[in-house]
Amino acid sequence: MTVSRLVGSMASQVDMDPSSASVTLSSIQSALNDIQPFIHRTPVITSSTIDCLCHMNILMKCENFQKVGAFKIRGATYAIHSILSRGINPVDLTVVTHSSGNHAQALALAARQMGVRCHVVMPLNAPSVKKEAVQGYGAVVTFCEGTQAAREETSKLVMKEEVLRAGGSGVVEFVSPYNDTRIVTGQGTIAVELLSQATDMHKPLDILVTPVGGGGMLAGCSLAAKALNPSIQVIGAEPLGADDAYRSFHTGSLQPSTNPMTIADGLRTSLGSITYPIIMKFVDSICTVSDEGIIRAMRLVYERVKVVIEPSAAVPLAVVLYSEEFKVIAKTVEEGVGRKPNVGIVFSGGNVELDKVLALFASLDK
C-alpha cells in the first residue's frame, strides 16, 4: 500500500460524506454483542439527594467505572473489531488517532487487548494522568500543540511514517475520536444498556442527557434511544465556553469550535460531518451551562454520590440543575407523563488529576 493511498484513506475517514454513514439500531445492538468481552456493563445509580435537588428521578449511567475510566473504550473496541473483521491479521494492523486523552487511552487499550499496534497523537496540554495512561497501555505517543489543526497535521505525518514502517504487508488505519461511523455505533451501545437498565429498575426513561463534544456519544445514543422509544427526549449537554454544537444545532449549519474555553477538556472538539447530521435528526435540543455550574455539579457528585467524575462528565447533571432551557423541556415532559420525569444522564468518564479538582472546588469558596 502506497503512502498516497494511506493518507487519502485517512482523509476520507476524517471527512467522510455523512450520506455514507450506516449507523442503525441493529448495528448498535450487534456492536454491543461484539464488544461485550472487552468492556464493562457499567452500573446505573440513583441518589435521593440528587433527585430532590433536581425535582426529577435521575438515573446516572456510570461510564466513569468503564475500562480506561471512560465510555470511549466502546467505540474504540468496535472500530478495531470492525477492521479485523475484514480478515486482517492483528499483527499486521496499526491504528492511528489524535486525542486529548480518553479516546487515546481507549484505543491504546483496545489495541493491546486485540494484539494490534497503536500510535497516538496527543496535545501537549492534555492532562498528565491521561498522557501517562496512554503510554502505560503500550501506545506509541507523539505530542503536538493543542490546536485541532496541529492534531490533524501531525496525524497525517504519523500516518506517513507508519506506512513506511509497515512496508507493503502492513495495514495502517486512522480511527477518528468521534467522526467515524464505527465510533458512533460503539458509543450508541451506552443508550441500549441504559434504557434496558432503567426499565429493569421500573423507571423507563423520559429524557436522556449526554455530554457533547465531537458528538460520537450523542449521535449514537440519540439514534439508539429514538429507535427504542420514539417519545423519549434526547438532550445534548455542552459547556457554555465551547458551544459549537449549540450554535450548530440552533442555526442549522455546522459551526466550528474556534477558541474553546472550558474546564471540560473532553468537550472542546467540534462536531463532525458524520455526527452533526445524526444529531440534527435525532436530538431534541442542546443546552449549555457555565463552568461554574459544571464545577458545582461535580462537587455535588463527589460529596453526595461518592463517585469520582471528570468535568466533562458533570456537564449533563449541571444542565439538569442549572439550564433554564432544560427546565422548560422537563416541565413539558412532566405535564405529558403526569409524574416527575425519569432522566438518564451519562457520567462519561472519571480521569482527573485530583489536585486540580480540589483547586476547582476551592475556587467556588473564594
Side-chain angles (χ1 to χ4, degrees):
M1 189 174 294
T2 66
V3 172
S4 60
R5 284 180 60 194
L6 245 299
V7 173
S9 175
M10 183 195 73
S12 65
Q13 186 62 57
V14 175
D15 300 315
M16 191 182 298
D17 182 344
S19 66
S20 68
S22 56
V23 186
T24 64
L25 175 62
S26 177
S27 69
I28 292 171
Q29 291 171 324
S30 178
L32 182 57
N33 183 65
D34 292 334
I35 67 178
Q36 276 181 342
F38 304 100
I39 68 165
H40 297 314
R41 181 180 174 88
T42 53
V44 174
I45 62 175
T46 61
S47 164
S48 58
T49 299
I50 300 292
D51 289 352
C52 288
L53 289 171
C54 297
H55 305 291
M56 305 169 205
N57 301 316
I58 306 298
L59 287 75
M60 296 166 275
K61 176 68 166 167
C62 291
E63 287 294 291
N64 53 312
F65 295 159
Q66 187 56 267
K67 288 187 178 181
V68 308
F71 75 99
K72 293 281 191 175
I73 191 68
R74 295 173 180 268
T77 300
Y78 183 65
I80 294 177
H81 177 275
S82 298
I83 297 169
L84 295 177
S85 69
R86 306 198 308 249
I88 297 169
N89 191 321
V91 299
D92 294 330
L93 176 61
T94 297
V95 288
V96 177
T97 196
H98 59 73
S99 167
S100 62
N102 283 341
H103 175 69
Q105 293 178 74
L107 196 67
L109 178 59
R112 189 177 77 179
Q113 290 184 137
M114 297 182 181
V116 169
R117 176 181 165 85
C118 180
H119 196 139
V120 176
V121 174
M122 297 190 74
L124 288 165
N125 62 356
S128 296
V129 65
K130 296 182 180 182
K131 295 177 186 175
E132 293 166 3
V134 172
Q135 292 170 320
Y137 290 132
V140 179
V141 178
T142 298
F143 294 105
C144 69
E145 295 302 318
T147 66
Q148 185 71 14
R151 292 189 193 191
E152 294 178 359
E153 186 59 33
T154 306
S155 295
K156 292 177 182 179
L157 295 174
V158 167
M159 288 288 291
K160 292 179 181 179
E161 292 169 358
E162 287 295 339
V163 170
L164 293 173
R165 184 202 59 80
S169 60
V171 176
V172 182
E173 189 144 334
F174 184 81
V175 179
S176 168
Y178 55 90
N179 202 40
D180 183 315
T181 56
R182 301 165 301 192
I183 295 295
V184 172
T185 300
Q187 316 308 24
T189 62
I190 299 168
V192 174
E193 281 188 5
L194 175 52
L195 266 66
S196 173
Q197 290 166 305
T199 299
D200 290 344
M201 296 167 70
H202 306 291
K203 293 182 178 180
L205 293 189
D206 304 301
I207 305 173
L208 172 63
V209 189
T210 86
V212 56
M217 180 200 293
L218 181 58
C221 285
S222 63
L223 188 155
K226 287 290 188 179
L228 290 167
N229 176 13
S231 66
I232 194 171
Q233 291 285 298
V234 181
I235 311 298
E238 188 174 44
L240 184 61
D243 67 344
D244 66 285
Y246 177 88
R247 289 183 287 109
S248 297
F249 186 86
H250 289 283
T251 63
S253 62
L254 190 56
Q255 305 290 319
S257 180
T258 53
N259 186 30
M261 300 292 290
T262 176
I263 59 168
D265 63 281
L267 304 181
R268 294 172 183 161
T269 311
S270 301
L271 295 179
S273 57
I274 289 173
T275 58
Y276 174 62
I278 297 174
I279 287 169
M280 290 300 292
K281 183 175 182 180
F282 295 105
V283 171
D284 294 285
S285 187
I286 294 178
C287 302
T288 60
V289 67
S290 69
D291 272 13
E292 180 181 340
I294 296 168
I295 298 169
R296 290 189 181 281
M298 185 166 59
R299 185 165 74 173
L300 178 65
V301 171
Y302 276 58
E303 292 179 344
R304 307 309 296 266
V305 188
K306 314 301 183 186
V307 300
V308 175
I309 60 173
E310 60 190 77
S312 298
V315 177
L317 180 58
V319 159
V320 173
L321 285 166
Y322 305 120
S323 168
E324 294 302 320
E325 184 176 349
F326 178 83
K327 290 176 182 178
V328 171
I329 294 169
K331 184 65 175 177
T332 301
V333 171
E334 182 175 353
E335 292 171 351
V337 298
R339 54 168 170 75
K340 290 182 179 180
N342 299 326
V343 181
I345 67 173
V346 180
F347 287 159
S348 54
N351 295 314
V352 293
E353 296 174 284
L354 291 179
D355 56 338
K356 292 185 178 180
V357 170
L358 294 175
L360 289 175
F361 293 165
S363 70
L364 294 176
D365 302 322
K366 292 180 180 179

